[in-house]
Amino acid sequence: MTAQEPEARRLPRARRRAPAHWLGLVLVGVIVAAGLVSFVWTPYALSDMAGGRLAPPSAAHWAGTDRLGRDVFTQLMIGARIALVVGCGAVAIGGAIGIAVGVLAAFATRFADDALAAVFDILIAFPTLLIAMLVVAAREEASLGTAILALGIGLSPIVGRVTRILTKRVLSKDYITAARVSGTGWPAIVLWHILPNIAPFLGVNLALQFGLAVMAEASLSYLGLGTPPPNASWGRMLQEAQGTVYTAPWGALLPGLALFSLVIGVNLLADALRDRFDPAGRDS
Amino acid sequence: MAALLDVRNLSLATAGARLIHDLSFAIAPGERFGLIGESGSGKSLTALAATGLLPRAIAAEGRITLAGTEVIGAPERRLAGLRGAAVATVFQEPLTALNPLMPLGRQIAGPVRRRLRREGRTPTRAAVAEEVRALLDQVRLPEPERLLDAYPHEVSGGQRQRVAIAMALACRPQLLIADEPTTALDVTTQAEIVALIRALVAEQNIALLFISHDLPVVGQLTERVMVIRHGRAVETGPAAEVLSRPREAYTQDLVAAARRFDKALEGRG
Ligand SMILES: Nc1ncnc2c1ncn2[C@@H]1O[C@H](COP(=O)(O)OP(=O)(O)OP(=O)(O)O)[C@@H](O)[C@H]1O
Ligand SMILES: [Mg+2]
């Protein structure tokens, strides 16, 4: 059993991965900082078009300007804020629904459990983006809130399925039987035994979902179903830059790079957190 | 006196197979009873049935009365009240029987808090901490300061089993079920844990259902034993009698095998 892995073998593994973990912290840290600073300061106003069209990066415009003459760096900062809000919001909604239903399914009678498992599988067969598009269509109006809700709902079956499987695995452990045989009630078992023990693995999955949500929002925006203008989500920036990708490549390259950095960074960070909060040092 | 645990004509079956056939035994308050059988004979299932914790896939027939309450078919709420108060269990593998992500002190505190509430006392921080200390002392755990904050993987197998025993004792049960509590431990630690269990059940007058396939250990610990094989009772009687003058061929084989094993050990030592 890996749980018995002696400390001597455990430490090098964490240490071996430390550089990657630091990279995750730096990537996410920079983006979070940019997002926070954007509330109080950006180089230009978002609607400021005085910069000249498609200007390359310079001292005045660190990341150049877009085809309307707006500062790209300003848009990237606002985009960081939007990406973080979308990621956190969608993961919070999808996580809450998915974890609740997943735990319930694991506890349910055989029939209800099978039914819920089938529902998860069917919903997962539809791409998250498609579910999100249907939700946006149903709400009839594109807004940041709608996009977050839509993505959260779209993610929930994936979280639900993972939660159900992880919970079942924990439920078969002796310490659950031991807790039950000493009279522990179900709420306490879920709170103290199940949630902490599925958290390290669930956390990694939620980080993946965060990345998916941010990318899906970019896709929604790219399709015109996400954050409405003038708000600059990275997806919208990509969409608007697509016509000028040869003449002004920075307009597409930089939001793409930001998106990529955030997704990678969050995953590395989740990995680090799992290593840190799983004292037994178990590998999944 | 009425039996504390009374199992009558218990049969357990899955959709495809019968696992326990018509098993009957009773344990009086304070009595130490041994359940002996080879791997897969149905010992653990019998113990689970007694606490009403059978997996859903297994159906039970017959009657089980625990502290005057009918277990088979009882609603979950009535069983939850019974567990802890009437019965607590120590399992074979102390590593998996403890929550890997919770410090040991908090794991012991859980059942302590529940028992204090059951007894109508307020589980204040100080009262719980004091009880946890007393329990660590009872199971002879050294360095309580370090152990309270340690995680299960940070202490030895014997120490983990002592923590598991402390958690069971924290419930102040009338019956302690010990399901092969020494199998996962080395020989020296085994002897210590057996001595500990014997001292504790005697001190606190707790009845014991001790499950094992280790005949000498069962002989040391229990007054009466039942031997089962393939889910059927083979022989029941006073421990001294069954283990020294077994009547059934199967029990004779078991006893002979145990003697050979002991001889082999002596020959080497
Ligand atoms: N959940 C289950 N579903 C179906 N069959 C089961 C289940 N649990 C146990 N069994 C079967 O019931 C029989 C008895 O199992 P049990 O765990 O009681 O054996 P045991 O005597 O405790 O053995 P060991 O000494 O190895 O612990 C075994 O043949 C086992 O395969
Ligand atoms: Mg067993």
Side-chain angles (χ1 to χ4, degrees), chain B residues 14 19 37-46 55 57-58 92 180 213:
Chain B
T14 58
L19 301 171
E38 62 195 18
S39 189
S41 55
K43 306 180 297 289
S44 296
L45 283 184
T46 307
I58 296 180
Q92 170 172 344
E180 307 200 42
H213 50 243

Side-chain angles (χ1 to χ4, degrees), chain A residues 42-132:
Chain A
T42 49
Y44 295 86
L46 196 53
S47 52
D48 185 343
M49 303 189 199
R53 298 178 172 197
L54 297 176
S58 65
H61 297 279
W62 300 337
T65 60
D66 69 1
R67 66 193 157 86
L68 296 178
R70 294 175 304 188
D71 183 50
V72 172
F73 196 84
T74 301
Q75 294 184 52
L76 284 173
M77 284 178 72
I78 304 276
R81 180 210 293 177
I82 293 173
L84 291 167
V85 168
V86 165
C88 294
V91 165
I93 293 172
I97 300 174
I99 292 171
V101 180
V103 168
L104 268 181
F107 274 99
T109 59
R110 180 80 170 269
F111 177 78
D113 179 32
D114 286 349
L116 282 170
V119 169
F120 290 149
D121 285 343
I122 293 169
L123 287 177
I124 288 169
F126 291 97
T128 301
L129 188 58
L130 191 63
I131 300 180

Side-chain angles (χ1 to χ4, degrees), chain A residues 1 3-4 7 10 106-110 173-186 192-193 196-198 200 277-282, chain B residues 48 51-53 56-57 76 80 82-85 87-89 91-93 95-102 106-107 111 114 151 153-154 160 167 171:
Chain A
M1 249 193 72
Q4 269 165 329
E7 198 127 338
R10 183 161 66 85
F107 274 99
T109 59
R110 180 80 170 269
K173 294 276 163 65
D174 278 349
Y175 56 85
I176 301 293
T177 315
R180 290 188 64 195
V181 85
S182 72
T184 317
W186 282 122
W192 296 115
H193 296 302
N197 277 289
I198 67 175
F277 286 113
D278 192 4
R282 299 167 301 180
Chain B
L48 282 180
T51 54
L53 282 173
R56 277 203 197 100
E76 187 61 29
L82 207 56
R83 293 180 196 135
V87 63
T89 304
F91 291 90
Q92 170 172 344
E93 178 46 76
L95 186 58
T96 56
L98 296 173
N99 183 340
L101 296 186
M102 200 190 269
R106 277 183 52 209
Q107 306 210 38
R114 246 171 290 124
Y151 288 92
H153 74 281
E154 293 172 337
R160 281 196 282 267
M167 287 172 68
C171 305

Side-chain angles (χ1 to χ4, degrees), chain A residues 1-3 102-103 105-107 113 161-177 193-202 274 278 282-284, chain B residues 96 100-101:
Chain A
M1 249 193 72
T2 47
V103 168
F107 274 99
D113 179 32
R161 181 161 82 165
V162 173
T163 303
R164 171 179 167 271
I165 294 169
L166 289 172
T167 304
K168 289 206 137 191
R169 219 166 68 185
V170 172
L171 275 178
S172 70
K173 294 276 163 65
D174 278 349
Y175 56 85
I176 301 293
T177 315
H193 296 302
I194 293 179
L195 292 181
N197 277 289
I198 67 175
F201 306 101
L202 201 58
R274 187 194 55 180
D278 192 4
R282 299 167 301 180
D283 249 326
S284 53
Chain B
T96 56
L101 296 186

Side-chain angles (χ1 to χ4, degrees), chain A residues 21-35 80 84 210 261-270:
Chain A
H21 295 163
W22 282 111
L23 178 64
L25 192 65
V26 168
L27 289 175
V28 173
V30 166
I31 292 169
V32 168
L84 291 167
F210 182 98
S261 305
L262 180 59
V263 172
I264 297 285
V266 166
N267 279 294
L268 292 177
L269 207 56

